[in-house]
Amino acid sequence: MKYPIGIQDFRELREGGYVYVDKTKTLFNILQQGGGYYHLHRPRRFGKSLLLSTMNELYRGNRELFEGLWIDNHWDWEEMQRPVIWLKFSSFKYKGNDLKKAIQEGIEEVAAGLNIELDHGAFVNPLQDLIQKAYNQYGQKVVLLIDEYDKPIIDYLDEPGQAEVNRDILKWLYSILKDSDPYLELVLITGVSAFSKVSIFSDLNNLYNLSLVAAARTLLGITQDELEHYFAEPLARVDKAKVRQWYNGYSWGGTEKVYNPFSILSFFQGGGEYSNFWFETGTPTFLIREMKKRAYYFPERIEVSQNKINAFDLTRLDPISVLFQTGYLTILKYEPEDHLYTLDYPNMEVRQSMEQSLLHEYLEGPKDPLARVAGLRNALREGDIEGMVRIINALFASMPYDLWPQQQTERFFHFIIHLTFDLLGTYIRSEVHTANGRCDALVETADRIYALEFKLDKSAAEALQQIFDKGYLQPYADSPKQRVAVGMNFSSEERAVVAWESEGI
C-alpha cells in the first residue's frame, strides 16, 4: 500500500497508485447547491490543497483520473467543463519581497497556463484582468480556486506591522470578486484562519463559510469508517483504541470525528510507531510565545460562542480563536439552543506536543523538561515521595526569576503543576481536577493510586486532611492497589515545596 504523505496533486496521487479516500460524493453534494462563493478553513496538512487539485481536474474534465470513484458516473463531464484559475499562495515568492509584485508574477504564471496575456499598470488588478479574459477567451464562466488565501498574513503573525500591510494588499486583491460575479461560476477559498469579512472580504456579502456546516464536516480528514475500509490491512496490526486516542478526535460540529490525515498516514508508513507527526512539521513557536507572554494555558474544556471561534483579529489575537483555527483545539460538542461550542484538545498527539512545548518554553537549564516528567513518573511508580518532591522543586528552580508574576503566584503555581501532571498522564494514568471535588492530581500506577493536594503558603497537614475530608480516594476503596494521600505546601517566597506529608491506606 502506497501512502500519499505530503502529496497535494490529485493527478500525481491517482497516476502513482497511492491509496485515495474517496471524498467525491461529499464534494459533489456541496457543489450541487449551485454556484456560489465558498470559504473553508482547516488546519495545515489537512488536505486543503489536494481538495482544490481535485476540483481543478474535475472542472477541466479529466475524467480518466476519476475512474472507479463515486463521482465518475454522477458528474456531467461535458456540460460542467470550465476554465479554472487556481491560485496557490504557497508558490508565490513574497517572503522578503513585495507582496503585490509576487502576486502579479504568480497570477501571470497562471495566465500563461491558460494562454492569456495580462495587462500591466498601477491600476490593474491582475486577478480581475485574468477572470475577465478567461471568460472572454473560453466563452464559459470561470471556476476560481484560491489556496491558502491567508498565508501572507499567517507567515507574519510575529511581525504585526507587516501582517497588516499584507492584509491590506490581500483586501485589494479580493475586492474585485463582487464586480466579477458575471464571469464566475464558482469560488472556493481555503485557508487556516477565519478572518472576518471586515478585514479582507468586506464587499463580498455572499461569501458562505463552509467550515462548520454539516455537509463539509468530513470533507477533509478521515472518518473511522473510512479508516477501517481503506486501511483495513495496516489497522489490523495495531491497537485500534490507542490509534484513535492518538490521532482521531478532530470535529467541526461535535459529532462526526476525523483523523488527522497527515498523522495517521505517517503512523502507518512508519510501521505503527506512535509519534507527534503533525506537530513536528510546524511547531507553533509564535503561538507558544504568545501564550507565555500572557501566562495563558488551556487547562480543560472551555465553552465559547461561534463568534469567538470564528474571530481572527490581527490587532487583538485571541488565544482560543487561534488555537481552534490552527488545529490545537477542536469542537467536543455543540449546544444549538445556546449556540455554545465546547472545545478541547483533539487527541493525545496534540495534547502531549503542546504541553511539552509549553514546558520547554517556561523551563531553563541543562535538563530536558520531559526528562523531569519521566523522573516524576519513576518516583511515583517506586513510591518515592521524597524523590517526587525533589523533582518538583528542581522543576520550579529551573524557571527564570523574571517569569514569576508578582501578583498571580498562586495561579501560576497551579498552572505549572497542572501542566506537569497533565503531561505525566501520557505515561501513566493521571487525572487532574477530577473525582470527588477538585483534587489537584490523581495518579495511578501499576501498584499505587495517589491523591495529591497542593497548598500555597498554608500547611502540608491541611492539604493532607482535605484529601480525606473530600474523599478523593474513596472511589478506589475496592482497588487492590495501595492508596496514598500526599499533601504538599508550596512557599511563594522560596518558590519550592517546603513541607509534605503522606499517608498510605
Side-chain angles (χ1 to χ4, degrees), residues 113-128:
L114 293 168
N115 297 313
I116 292 173
E117 187 173 336
L118 298 180
D119 294 334
H120 292 83
F123 299 102
V124 175
N125 185 306
L127 181 56
Q128 183 177 39

Side-chain angles (χ1 to χ4, degrees), residues 26 30 208 210-219 252-253 256:
T26 305
I30 293 172
Y208 185 53
L210 288 169
S211 304
L212 302 179
V213 174
R217 286 173 186 165
T218 61
L219 179 60
W252 284 273
E256 310 94 334

